[in-house]
Amino acid sequence: MAPERILPGVYAIKIRRGYVNAFIIADGPLSFIDSGLPNQASVLLKHIAALGSKPEDVEHIAITHHHVDHTGSLADLVHATNAQVYVHPLDAPIVRGDQPLAGPNPKSIAGKILGPVIKRVTPSRLAALKIDHEVRDGEDLPIAGSLRVIHTPGHTAGHVSYLWPRAGGVLFVGDAAGHMFGRLGPPLGMFTEDMARAKESMRKIAALEFNSACFGHGGVIKGKAHVAFRRYVEKMAR
């Protein structure tokens, strides 16, 4: 079991056959972007071993947002690696386990119908853990040389994307947008707290310069990825 090398120094871990992606930046000490669904820590550790690394080689875990498909294995991964955890303060109470996980947006039709079922099959609260650093918009984190925090709220209030300046610029989008079946679009409405803010965040992303985009859901865009966002934002404005 080996992670997929998608760019120099960047590897994707496709969890549950690609339902959700976590990423490893292998530039010096290993760094994770998100931790995937619950009960996946052993899978993540196997991917680390496939890179010829040990759990203690993981020094940083940068979380895009609190949803359980991105944080479900965080506590177990931290226990195995002793890595530092980075989260935006607006999502930190849920990631720490202080507050219950938010369910689907009840204002959406799908959220009304599927919300009760989803709540029954997902944990009500994340395992308690310490957050080492609460990130702020525009901050450059000491991760893989430098990793810039881009606050991209809407999907959740504390959602952030991370911009890595290497390889022509790599944006770890999280769920600020999706790229399913080769199509760029906004995050899934059922799980998005504020779609208007999510679209504002897509416009914010479109103003950045980055060559590649790595999504929590869907495939990677390689080559002039910022142009794809700008085209989508132009389409939204029509």
Side-chain angles (χ1 to χ4, degrees):
M1 180 180 296
E4 178 186 352
R5 182 183 181 276
I6 55 174
L7 293 163
V10 179
Y11 296 83
I13 301 175
K14 299 182 181 299
I15 298 170
R16 295 277 174 87
R17 297 184 180 179
Y19 166 70
V20 64
N21 303 315
F23 297 94
I24 296 174
I25 306 177
D27 188 285
L30 299 186
S31 304
F32 267 81
I33 308 294
D34 289 338
S35 68
L37 291 155
N39 305 313
Q40 296 298 305
S42 61
V43 174
L44 301 177
L45 294 174
K46 287 177 182 177
H47 282 86
I48 292 168
L51 292 175
S53 299
K54 304 180 291 297
E56 54 267 32
D57 294 328
V58 180
E59 293 192 1
H60 309 283
I61 306 172
I63 296 297
T64 60
H65 63 293
H66 65 63
H67 285 162
V68 71
D69 53 338
H70 296 258
T71 56
S73 290
L74 180 59
D76 290 338
L77 187 60
V78 170
H79 179 75
T81 64
N82 201 33
Q84 300 278 297
V85 177
Y86 302 78
V87 183
H88 191 278
L90 292 177
D91 276 19
I94 294 177
V95 177
R96 273 197 304 266
D98 294 342
Q99 294 180 7
L101 284 159
N105 187 343
K107 294 180 181 179
S108 72
I109 295 174
K112 287 179 183 178
I113 296 171
L114 299 176
V117 176
I118 291 171
K119 284 186 176 181
R120 284 199 296 270
V121 299
T122 56
S124 61
R125 193 180 294 261
L126 294 170
L129 59 78
K130 172 189 173 186
I131 292 173
D132 300 284
H133 187 83
E134 294 187 0
V135 304
R136 64 182 187 275
D137 187 39
E139 180 178 7
D140 290 319
L141 303 176
I143 296 176
S146 180
L147 192 68
R148 176 156 294 186
V149 178
I150 312 295
H151 186 208
T152 47
H155 190 60
T156 68
H159 189 290
V160 296
S161 303
Y162 295 101
L163 181 59
W164 192 47
R166 308 282 176 85
V170 181
L171 186 72
F172 296 94
V173 181
D175 285 1
H179 188 232
M180 302 298 293
F181 309 110
R183 298 183 67 181
L184 179 65
L188 187 64
M190 180 171 66
F191 294 106
T192 297
E193 294 174 5
D194 187 331
M195 187 58 77
R197 291 196 77 191
K199 290 180 178 179
E200 288 177 10
S201 290
M202 289 190 73
R203 286 189 280 271
K204 182 176 182 178
I205 288 171
L208 303 173
E209 298 287 337
F210 53 96
N211 198 49
S212 302
C214 301
F215 299 82
H217 301 277
V220 175
I221 298 177
K222 298 180 184 180
K224 299 182 178 180
H226 66 286
V227 174
F229 274 86
R230 289 173 189 175
R231 287 174 178 163
Y232 186 81
V233 166
E234 289 171 1
K235 182 179 177 182
M236 280 197 307
R238 292 173 192 162

